[in-house]
Amino acid sequence: MRGGLGNPRLLRVLNERRLLDQLHANGPASRADLAKITGLSKPTVSAALAGLEEDGLVHLVGEVSGRPGPVTSLYDMNAASTHVAGIDIGRDWIRVAVADLRGAFAGRCDGRNTARDSAELAILVDELCRAAAREAELEWSAIACAVVGSPGVYDPAQGRLDFAPNLPGPPDLAGRLRSALEVELIIENDINLAAVGEHTYGEGRGKSNFALVSIGTGVGMGIVINGELYVGARGAAGEVSYVPTDSPPTDDALAHGATETVTAAPGVVRAARAAGLDLETAKAVFAVAADGDPAARSVVEAEGRRIGGLLVAVAAVLDPEVIVLSGGVGRNLDLLGAAIEDRIAELGPLRPVVVASALGDSGVLLGAVAHARTRAWDLIFDARRG
């Protein structure tokens, strides 16, 4: 009976969570307001608030005078009572943020990914994490949990990252990160977290069904169905880098995926060089195209047509309310949009709504923080259940 609904401790914790969820979603409220909204009795609300206040999870934030009448106390969750970390490991950059329970960043530290193997990468991540904690005026040990966004698919049974050819060294990064960071650690595909970030803060907000397609140094997709992240039976849902193309198979295509080989940033650079442009990055190709260079504009148009074909496949399978394009290549919708629309029109009647992400380079990081906040709530109330 200890774990059942007849357990007074469990009932108390459930009541506390209802109150904290309400304060988290809607901000400060009085005891009377909380009782009315949650349906709990005023004595139950008072007892739950007292316990939460004693443990620092709720605090008094103001008073309102009834004029005439008694003064009403206003309570809110203490967002600074617990902190979490979000970590975005990209091929070129590592980004770390320490945030409170409302997602407000208290510290952030970004650094170049110069690692040559997984051991060096774990050291770099650890250094950036501790620097972000110092900026937040916290010890790293005070972090309740951390969520890592990384290319590839994490296999919890084997404790390794698969399908991550853009990361250096063997697929043992997960174990090295756990040893270095020594906190509750969750490892998730970076594009899945970008979708979580978009659902929480961006163009996917309020949408029950949408897809985020990221095209940058790699190609990937995050899927939200019925308001929940969908990862598939083995975590590989959205690995659209492996969608076949008309291009002849190569060793690179086998390693990185046929779509990624021709559509990601390195593919754009190769196409630009084949067109006679001596450019080093996809960013430079788009900049030259924006200035009106005919060869660059032709490369960008071809890229848009490839993306349009991919988005038709996505729409045919998922029928999302919106497809959000992100990544260093994908978010150039001002230059890619016309070619994408033309290719979609050529391929049939499906007309997905396509928008660019407004989260810039922070989508994965914001998604990691959002995921970490959710996990922190569970940890807080697991501890209170005893």
Side-chain angles (χ1 to χ4, degrees):
M1 197 63 185
R2 186 177 184 274
L5 288 177
N7 183 334
R9 177 179 289 182
L10 177 59
L11 287 172
R12 185 202 73 204
V13 171
L14 290 174
N15 291 337
E16 289 174 345
R17 183 149 195 176
R18 287 177 72 182
L19 295 180
L20 267 184
D21 284 345
Q22 176 62 31
L23 293 172
H24 176 251
N26 298 300
S30 67
R31 290 187 183 93
D33 289 338
L34 289 169
K36 182 178 180 180
I37 293 167
T38 63
L40 299 173
S41 69
K42 290 181 181 179
T44 298
V45 169
S46 294
L49 285 175
L52 292 168
E53 187 174 17
E54 182 179 351
D55 292 338
L57 293 169
V58 160
H59 57 173
L60 187 65
V61 295
E63 295 180 333
V64 177
S65 173
R67 270 201 259 230
V71 172
T72 300
S73 298
L74 295 178
Y75 292 87
D76 197 6
M77 65 173 284
N78 181 10
S81 64
T82 303
H83 285 83
V84 300
I87 304 165
D88 172 15
I89 299 177
R91 189 179 74 173
D92 298 322
W93 285 90
I94 303 168
R95 300 178 173 90
V96 178
V98 170
D100 68 16
L101 283 176
R102 277 208 165 98
F105 286 10
R108 176 167 176 173
C109 192
D110 298 359
R112 284 279 185 182
N113 187 352
T114 57
R116 293 165 296 181
D117 56 37
S118 55
E120 287 187 6
L121 185 50
I123 291 170
L124 273 175
V125 171
D126 182 53
E127 290 174 350
L128 291 169
C129 284
R130 294 177 193 278
R134 285 194 299 273
E135 184 177 309
E137 299 182 351
L138 295 168
E139 295 292 332
W140 175 251
S141 59
I143 301 301
C145 65
V147 171
V148 176
S150 167
V153 176
Y154 178 59
D155 181 347
Q158 300 295 323
R160 69 184 189 191
L161 281 165
D162 295 325
F163 309 116
N166 290 328
L167 292 182
D172 62 350
L173 177 62
R176 291 186 181 278
L177 286 174
R178 293 188 192 281
S179 297
L181 298 179
E182 296 182 312
V183 296
E184 168 96 9
L185 191 67
I186 298 170
I187 299 172
E188 181 58 86
N189 173 264
D190 54 354
I191 309 306
N192 285 343
L193 288 179
V196 172
E198 206 68 47
H199 194 217
T200 307
Y201 302 104
E203 296 290 345
R205 200 169 186 177
K207 304 288 193 301
S208 295
N209 300 281
F210 80 94
L212 176 137
V213 176
S214 176
I215 303 170
T217 55
V219 174
M221 179 170 68
I223 305 166
V224 171
I225 296 177
N226 295 329
E228 299 291 335
L229 184 68
Y230 178 76
V231 299
R234 288 169 292 276
E239 290 293 321
V240 292
S241 59
Y242 294 97
V243 170
T245 69
D246 292 335
S247 302
T250 63
D251 290 342
D252 200 36
L254 288 173
H256 294 265
T259 288
E260 181 168 305
T261 299
V262 296
T263 309
V268 173
V269 173
R270 283 193 295 272
R273 289 177 177 170
L277 297 167
D278 186 18
L279 299 170
E280 298 291 329
T281 66
K283 183 177 181 179
V285 175
F286 279 92
V288 172
D291 287 340
D293 182 271
R297 292 185 75 85
S298 178
V299 170
V300 168
E301 181 180 357
E303 173 72 357
R305 290 179 63 80
R306 284 190 291 270
I307 294 172
L310 176 61
L311 299 189
V312 167
V314 170
V317 174
L318 297 177
D319 187 26
E321 296 170 66
V322 65
I323 299 176
V324 181
L325 278 178
S326 72
V329 171
R331 60 175 173 260
N332 290 287
L333 201 53
D334 54 337
L335 293 171
L336 293 165
I340 289 174
E341 289 179 5
D342 288 348
R343 184 57 174 154
I344 288 173
E346 291 172 5
L347 292 175
L350 297 176
R351 296 292 185 273
V353 176
V354 182
V355 300
S357 172
L359 301 184
D361 293 329
S362 296
V364 176
L365 191 61
L366 288 166
V369 166
H371 193 4
R373 287 164 53 206
T374 299
R375 178 57 182 154
W377 280 114
D378 292 337
L379 291 173
I380 288 169
F381 287 100
D382 285 348
R384 295 183 74 76
R385 275 199 293 266

